[in-house]
Structure formats: C-alpha cells, structure tokens
Amino acid sequence: MKCFCLFKDKSKTINKSSSDELKKGVSKRAVSSASSMPSPRSVFELYKEKEHTLRVFRFSELREATDGFDRRLKLGEGGFGSVYKGFIKTGINVDRVAVAIKKLNRNSLQGHKQWVAEVQFLGIVDHPNLVKLLGHCSIDGERGIQRLLVYEFMPNKSLEDHLFSKIRPPLPWTTRLEIILGAAQGLAYLHEGMEVKVIYRDFKCSNVLLDNDFKPKLSDFGLAREGPTGNRSHVSTGVVGTYGYAAPEYIETGHLTLMCDVWSFGVVLYEILTGRRSLERHRPPVEQKLLDWVQLYPSDSKLFTSIIDSRLRDQYSIVAARKIAKLADSCLSKHPKERPTMGEVVERLKEAIGDSRGCSPYPSSTPSPSTARASPATASLRHPLPLPPHLK
C-alpha cells in the first residue's frame, strides 16, 4: 500500500554534507522553546550523546556486502529506495554476519529527510521491539548523493508477509497475539519510555519485522516525529503516511499527536482478527473498507465470529477475540482523548493473551509458521460470511 503526502514538501535543497544535516537535527523544538521555559532535551541532543555507537560505513564496504547491490539480494522496495540483504564483518577474524542495507533513491529529497530522521531516532532508542540500526553511510558526489542505512537482519520478513499471504501457512492465533503485543510494547516505549515522546506515524503490518522466533520489531522511522512538549497539544506537520492507517483528525488538520499512532494500532488489531488488509478493492463494495465492514458485526453480536480469519478455523479464543475487538474500537474512537494510551493497550492485550492460554500456539490442525507447508488452494480458502439481517 503506497504512502501519501497531502502537502508539498517545502524543502528544495540538500546540503552537501550529510553530517551537516545530522548536526541540525530533526527538530527545532529546543530552539523555539528556549526563550519561554526550560525544556527536556531534544532528539538531536540525545543523538549527539550516542552517535559514537553507530558505525560509519564506506560505500565500497556496502557495495561489496551486497555483491554490487545485486537484484537477487533485494529484500524489498519502497518510497525511500531499495533494501538488500548483505554480509559484513564486525571485527578482525570474525565471520561475516547478515544485515539489511537500505539504499536511498539518489534523487529523492524526501528520502534524504527520512534518512536523517532514521539515523537520529534509531540512534537514541533501545528496546527489544525496535529494530537495531548498526550504522550508516553518506556520500555526496558529482553523480548524486548516496545515503544508506545498515540494520540488523530480520529473517522472517514482516507481519504483512505472513498475515496476508495466500501461500504461507496462516499465523496461529497466539502467535498473532504475541506479535501484536510486542509491537504495542515498542510503541509504548516510544510514547512513554524515553526522555522525549516519539510519534511513530507509520504503524502498519509491513513495518513490523519478525526475527527467527517471530519476535516483532518496529522498523522504518523515516516519518517519525518528536512529540509535543510543554503545554502544546500537538505537532503541526504536513500529512504523510499510508492510506487506511492515518487518523482522521490528522488527515483533516495536520495536527499530529500520540493518539494518531493509537488509531493506526486499532486498524492493525482488526487486520490481526480478520486476516484482511485495511483496504481490499477486489472485494464486494460493502467489504472493501475493513473498518466499515467490521462495524456490521459488533463484538457483542452473535455474528461477530463472521469476521474472524477463517483460516484460523476454531483454533482461537472467542473471549479474547471479543476483547481485542473492543480494544480496537476504543483505539478507533473519533475523539482522540477517548482513546487508550499505548501503556493501557499493552495491559489489555496481556489480559487477552491470558484468556487464550488454552489455545496451543501451534495446534495440530494449524502447523507452525516456520515449518509448515500449505497449498495455495487451501491457504486462500474463504467461507462465505453471513450478512447482518438489515443487509439481506
């Protein structure tokens, strides 16, 4: 699903030195508020303390690590550029380790700003549910700029690759809950666990990466913003993000708050329950927009089970599913102040997981995602859903 930008980027130039860009920081908050009252340290100030922990790579190192950015090693592609699997050495007489290398499109002004944001935000965070940035590379030459980022390698790709796949075996119920809980804990850390509050701004399944054990880590911090400080209620910014996940008040006003992330999280909760994307245009009109469709089957109705991913069969807890749907509804409240904090979301998810303890994470009828095989025909099977009486 493509990202959007409703306001033009006002930045028209890129400084010749990326180090100059990093010196500027991603936020001007500390300067603008200095005249009024003391404020917490900014992302930039925190980054300056930790920048020495990031490795500065030579471009030749990363070119060699990817066999000249061989297409066969490409893991994916987005608005920023392409991501490759590579192998680097971390020391003398040490075997090479796998990494993910993101390479900026040379002529992307917006991509350059996102590169700066990723270096600085990922340079200060430290949480098991956030992807680890190992280092970066920048070159300004006659043929254009080169901006690259080097991350830890996540072998099981993204939640999107497993949740919506018609080829892979379906994710078991408790695996889904453990993944979404870890993602919630990552967001809660960004909102509540640091000296600064960070608004992620792009929470969706494709940005939740999975390690060998299917433990989730949030990735792609290019759109992240430092949250409001002092008595400010929001950050004013151009509207960017992904269709189907952006909070309505953000789209309407450009006012960005922590509650915008909570809304996006609510959307993904329903994707976890249904196995459907937020927007699927190939479906009948009444089912194309996920949030409109699930409203027809409230969590306390007899037909609620109609929205549960049919590939789960009966291997899930209906009590937990209802709780998750109610949690999603509270995250999707039209009034931002009525939405729960991510800390509260974490606690309610833990309760739902407790209700699911009776469901085996890998029941005999639902193979483990790391070992099972399924035919495309059976993996894509869907049972017809009954319509509510008023739509019959």
Side-chain angles (χ1 to χ4, degrees), residues 61-70 73 84-87 101:
E61 284 183 89
L62 302 184
R63 182 171 52 197
E64 179 181 352
T66 57
D67 290 336
F69 301 102
D70 193 317
L73 293 175
Y84 299 84
K85 183 177 182 179
F87 296 88
I101 300 173

Side-chain angles (χ1 to χ4, degrees), residues 10 13 27 33 77 101 165 207-208 210-212 223 225 245 254 287 290 299 344 374 384 387:
K10 296 181 180 179
T13 61
S27 172
S33 62
E77 191 167 3
I101 300 173
S165 174
N207 283 342
V208 180
L210 304 171
D211 70 8
N212 265 321
L223 298 183
R225 286 292 300 268
Y245 298 90
E287 297 184 23
L290 178 61
S299 60
E344 293 168 341
L387 283 174

Side-chain angles (χ1 to χ4, degrees), residues 282-322:
H282 67 278
R283 294 189 179 276
V286 72
E287 297 184 23
Q288 289 184 2
K289 294 183 178 179
L290 178 61
L291 298 188
D292 291 345
W293 176 64
V294 296
Q295 287 180 1
L296 304 175
Y297 307 90
S299 60
D300 56 356
S301 70
K302 293 182 178 179
L303 291 179
F304 168 70
T305 55
S306 301
I307 72 167
I308 304 299
D309 190 343
S310 61
R311 294 170 297 174
L312 289 171
R313 303 182 184 276
D314 60 348
Q315 300 294 330
Y316 67 93
S317 164
I318 183 60
V319 174
R322 291 186 191 277

Side-chain angles (χ1 to χ4, degrees), residues 233-247:
S233 62
H234 63 271
V235 176
S236 295
T237 177
V239 180
V240 295
T242 305
Y243 284 112
Y245 298 90

Side-chain angles (χ1 to χ4, degrees), residues 19 22-25 41-53 120 123-124:
S19 61
L22 291 175
K23 289 176 183 177
K24 288 181 179 180
R41 289 183 299 173
S42 66
V43 168
F44 168 64
E45 291 169 320
L46 294 172
Y47 169 75
K48 293 304 292 181
E49 282 188 357
K50 296 186 176 182
E51 63 177 332
H52 66 277
T53 63
Q120 294 194 349
I124 67 172

